[in-house]
Amino acid sequence: TSPSVYVRYKLTSPAGALDSALAGREVYTIIWTTTPWTLPASLAVAFHPDFEYVALATDGSAGPVYIVAAELASQVIAACKLEGATEIARFKGAKLEHTTFHHPFLERSILGVLGDYVTVDTGTGAVHTAHSHGAEDFYTGQKYGLNLTCRVDSAGRIHMDESAWTLASPPPYNGITVWKANPIIIAMLTERGALLGSGDLEHSYPH
């Protein structure tokens, strides 16, 4: 049983470059993961170049806008309690390459990248990319020139990225094993308003 979380990443590159309907709006994408402990290593969000993505507006013209795969939009609306969200733009995933986002709890820029391995079987169609924690992520990191440093040691303890943490005291997951870090990181996401949905998922897990 793994934690299942939906996490928003705020768009920091010009939203109007994706579609004029997004100009001036507060725009996010939403990633889904069952490994919150990998989020401190997140450096990119992968989109499928050929999939259709939709921008879902909440609270009319005043609320935030969320970019997800069109095929998964209804599932994401239900999981993240975005009832009433309406589509205001639609575009191919290829347009999201080289966009930038802000990490949900670190002072780090997140790059929009493309990956043919992104699926619409489950999740959001936006895959958080941690180069140190998966083969596809690693090769994507090589392709886009991401920092390939691994900050999980051989005992499974996470160590902080000092360049992305500006507070005097270290993050609460620093020095903690990955499994124990999961609830700590979920709490950090909640405190920062970045957690849109959560639950538990029972599944077969390759390792």
Side-chain angles (χ1 to χ4, degrees), residues 1 63 72 83 92-93 105 112 120-121 132 137 139 153 184 205-206:
T1 301
L72 292 165
E83 291 83 2
K92 291 287 189 182
F105 55 80
V120 287
D121 296 335
S132 303
D137 296 42
Y139 293 123
D153 65 22
I184 293 171
Y205 190 79

Side-chain angles (χ1 to χ4, degrees), residues 38-95:
T38 64
L39 289 173
S42 184
L43 284 176
V45 175
F47 304 91
H48 196 291
D50 300 325
F51 289 170
E52 292 278 333
Y53 286 80
V54 293
L56 302 173
T58 60
D59 298 326
S61 60
V65 176
Y66 296 105
I67 296 171
V68 298
E71 285 193 47
L72 292 165
S74 60
Q75 295 178 35
V76 175
I77 288 170
C80 298
K81 299 179 175 61
L82 301 177
E83 291 83 2
T86 57
E87 178 184 329
I88 60 169
R90 180 180 287 248
F91 40 82
K92 291 287 189 182
K95 290 197 74 172

Side-chain angles (χ1 to χ4, degrees), residues 6 20-21 31 41 61 72 88 114 133 147 161 163-164 187 189 205:
Y6 291 81
S20 59
I31 66 93
S61 60
L72 292 165
I88 60 169
L114 302 181
H133 305 307
N147 179 349
D161 176 2
S163 67
L189 294 169
Y205 190 79

Side-chain angles (χ1 to χ4, degrees), residues 107-127:
E107 292 303 316
R108 176 189 294 157
S109 182
I110 300 294
L111 183 65
V113 300
L114 302 181
D116 291 334
Y117 52 85
V118 177
T119 69
V120 287
D121 296 335
T122 189
T124 67
V127 178

Side-chain angles (χ1 to χ4, degrees), residues 162-203:
E162 294 181 1
S163 67
W165 186 259
T166 58
L167 300 180
S169 57
Y173 57 78
N174 192 50
I176 303 296
T177 58
V178 294
W179 306 127
K180 291 182 180 179
N182 274 333
I184 293 171
I185 290 170
I186 291 171
M188 292 177 69
L189 294 169
T190 302
E191 289 168 6
R192 287 160 176 77
L195 186 70
L196 296 186
S198 64
D200 292 318
L201 179 68
E202 187 174 318
H203 60 155

